[in-house]
């Protein structure tokens, strides 16, 4: 009886970790950065931004399927796996991810400030402070992992439902959007790099896979289950991205001009308010704040897991929780002293993480081509390697031509 109860408990824990991994990837990919980026770029590009959405989804597929499969097959976190393939490459990736995660988390806390500003009318700085403090409290709870999983699922479902409602009410020009998804009027690599970075760059690349390791379903024999879970996460994020784009496009196409600059600018909030009125702004504020909180959790947790590359003591338990809390505290402190407009910051961090994305991908593609033994197989699937390699080359190119424009986003403040 005890063995059966223990087995059932283990299955529930594994199932919770798997669902948590899917929603950790999904909510990280559709956090406040992506929402603000979508509103900002749709206001400037209109229906042509649909192509960037499509590009981000295709890149997401190639990146996430490879990363999830490699990390779970090896049973090791990204930094450790990279180090075994190329000495010290894992340390280098860890430094980049932690730097990118810090930048992203500052933006996520800024997003929390924007959300509470729309919901309650309080100052964005105060809202950011409250968001950061709540995230810290959640991680100090004894069963932080289970709490994180439940919070991510609830917040993720709420975001999807609200966005679908706005997309239906705003009546976007769907035909034009579909046309420009394939044949856009304009092509902007800085925009694509930024939206890719905001949905799959930096820590987001590894968030779901690292959480999946906690399920214990690791090794090559679980690859089919892993791929199904990764695909579910990708489908959820793809639908959410396009629906959010349509919601904002409907507002922009109706002639509403969105303010994308200024210290308290919240273009996505304006779009929701234009559709649902004052009540819409309040409801959006709650959803946007929820997206920010879930992303703060995802960025801090994933970045903290990379610290185990430098010290085994941070591989789990209270050490990992305290490292996560420390990461949030540093992010919060930096946010409180900087003067960059929150909306501009949320756009910039996506671009920054898009710039560091190809570094980790290059190492992972090397592992797939030349070190499949680290993954417990003799030959890694070519149907994953070939698109993964092509996407790696594409992200290197996009990053090289987008550095200047991405850093220019920081000057977009009022």
């Amino acid at each position: 009886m005890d063995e059966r109860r223990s087995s059932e408990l283990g299955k529930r824990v594994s199932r919770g970790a798997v669902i948590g991994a899917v929603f950790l990837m999904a909510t990280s990919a559709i956090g406040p950065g992506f929402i603000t980026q979508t509103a900002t770029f749709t206001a400037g590009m209109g229906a042509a931004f649909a192509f960037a959405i499509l590009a981000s989804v295709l890149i997401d597929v190639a990146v996430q399927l490879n990363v999830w499969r490699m990390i779970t097959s090896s049973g090791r976190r990204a930094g450790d796996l990279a180090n075994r393939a190329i000495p010290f490459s894992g340390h280098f990736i860890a430094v980049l991810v932690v730097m990118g995660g810090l930048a992203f988390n500052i933006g996520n806390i800024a997003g929390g400030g924007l959300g509470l500003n729309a919901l309650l009318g309080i100052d964005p700085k105060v809202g950011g402070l409250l968001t950061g403090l709540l995230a810290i409290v959640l991680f100090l709870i004894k069963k932080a992992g289970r709490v994180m999983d439940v919070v991510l699922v609830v917040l993720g479902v709420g975001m999807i439902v609200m966005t679908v409602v706005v997309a239906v009410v705003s009546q976007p020009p769907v035909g034009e959007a579909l046309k420009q998804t394939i044949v856009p009027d304009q092509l902007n690599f800085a925009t694509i790099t930024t939206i890719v970075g905001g949905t799959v760059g930096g820590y987001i690349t590894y968030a779901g896979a690292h959480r999946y390791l906690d399920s214990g379903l690791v090794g090559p024999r679980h690859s089919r289950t892993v791929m199904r879970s990764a695909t579910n996460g990708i489908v959820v994020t793809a639908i959410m991205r396009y629906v959010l784009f349509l919601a904002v496009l409907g507002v922009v196409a109706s002639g509403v001009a969105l303010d994308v600059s200024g210290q308290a600018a919240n273009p996505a909030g304006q779009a929701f308010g234009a559709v649902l009125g004052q009540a819409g702004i309040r409801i959006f504020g709650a959803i946007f704040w929820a997206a920010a909180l879930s992303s703060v959790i995802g960025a801090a947790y994933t970045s903290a897991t990379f610290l185990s590359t430098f010290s085994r003591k941070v591989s789990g338990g209270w050490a990992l929780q305290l490292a996560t809390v420390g990461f949030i505290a540093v992010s919060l402190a930096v946010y409180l002293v900087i003067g960059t407009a929150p909306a501009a910051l949320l756009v910039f961090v996506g671009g920054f993480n898009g710039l560091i994305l190809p570094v980790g991908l290059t190492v992972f593609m090397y592992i797939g081509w030349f070190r499949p033994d680290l993954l417990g197989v003799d030959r890694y699937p070519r149907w994953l390697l070939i698109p993964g390699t092509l996407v790696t080359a594409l992200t290197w190119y996009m990053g090289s031509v987008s550095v200047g424009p991405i850093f220019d986003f920081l000057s977009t403040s009022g």
Side-chain angles (χ1 to χ4, degrees), residues 5-23 68 72 145-146 149 153 208-218 221-222 225-226 229:
R5 186 179 298 113
S6 177
S7 176
E8 291 176 353
L9 178 60
K11 289 180 180 179
R12 285 200 298 270
V13 172
S14 296
R15 190 181 306 116
V18 170
I19 295 174
V22 170
F23 274 88
W68 275 57
T72 58
R146 295 187 191 179
D149 294 338
V153 171
H210 276 199
R211 180 65 182 133
Y212 197 96
L213 290 178
D214 296 335
S215 71
L217 303 176
V218 298
R221 65 193 181 93
H222 291 292
T225 304
V226 169
S229 298

Side-chain angles (χ1 to χ4, degrees), residues 17-313:
V18 170
I19 295 174
V22 170
F23 274 88
L24 181 60
M25 181 179 78
T27 55
S28 294
I30 50 179
F34 174 76
I35 294 173
T36 303
Q37 292 155 18
T38 297
T40 300
F41 292 138
T42 303
M45 299 176 64
F49 183 60
F51 180 80
I53 298 290
L54 175 62
S56 73
V57 171
L58 295 178
I59 291 173
D60 197 8
V61 171
V63 171
Q64 292 290 4
L65 291 183
N66 275 293
V67 169
W68 275 57
R69 182 154 182 158
M70 290 188 185
I71 287 178
T72 58
S73 291
S74 68
R76 300 184 180 95
R77 288 173 177 158
D80 186 22
L81 177 58
N83 273 341
R84 288 174 180 267
I86 305 174
F88 301 109
S89 64
H91 292 86
F92 184 56
I93 293 174
V95 169
L96 289 179
V97 169
V98 171
M99 287 175 55
L102 180 63
F104 229 123
N105 226 27
I106 295 169
N108 290 333
I109 292 174
L114 287 176
L116 289 181
N117 175 259
L119 176 63
L120 303 174
I122 63 178
D123 184 89
K125 290 270 185 178
V126 176
L129 174 63
L130 295 175
T131 302
L133 291 178
L134 178 58
I136 289 175
V137 169
L138 288 175
F139 268 101
L140 288 177
I141 296 175
K142 186 175 182 180
K143 297 180 179 178
R146 295 187 191 179
V147 172
M148 179 174 72
D149 294 338
V150 173
V151 169
L152 290 172
V153 171
V154 172
L155 298 183
V157 172
M159 289 163 57
I160 292 173
V161 171
M162 179 63 189
T163 308
V164 168
V165 171
V166 176
V168 172
V169 176
S170 69
Q171 298 182 324
V174 177
E176 182 65 15
L178 291 175
K179 172 190 171 185
Q180 299 218 34
T181 299
I182 307 300
V183 186
D185 286 344
Q186 56 180 303
L187 189 61
N188 188 315
F189 280 116
T191 296
I192 297 175
T193 302
T194 298
I195 206 68
V196 167
T199 55
V200 72
Y203 81 92
I204 301 173
T205 308
Y206 313 100
H210 276 199
R211 180 65 182 133
Y212 197 96
L213 290 178
D214 296 335
S215 71
L217 303 176
V218 298
R221 65 193 181 93
H222 291 292
S223 60
R224 182 172 298 181
T225 304
V226 169
M227 299 298 279
R228 184 165 54 246
S229 298
T231 301
N232 289 339
I234 292 169
V235 170
V236 170
T237 56
I239 293 174
M240 180 65 178
R241 289 174 200 173
Y242 209 80
V243 170
L244 177 63
F245 158 69
L246 289 175
V248 179
L249 180 62
V251 174
V252 173
S254 69
V256 175
L258 303 180
D259 176 19
V260 297
S261 64
Q263 187 65 28
N266 190 345
Q270 297 164 42
F272 277 58
V275 175
L276 300 177
Q278 191 63 31
I281 293 178
R282 303 299 183 192
I283 296 173
F284 165 79
I287 298 302
F288 196 71
W289 176 75
L293 179 61
S294 63
S295 293
V296 168
I297 291 172
Y301 168 79
T302 308
S303 298
T305 61
F306 270 88
L307 296 179
S308 64
T309 306
F310 303 96
S311 174
R312 295 283 183 183
K313 295 179 180 179

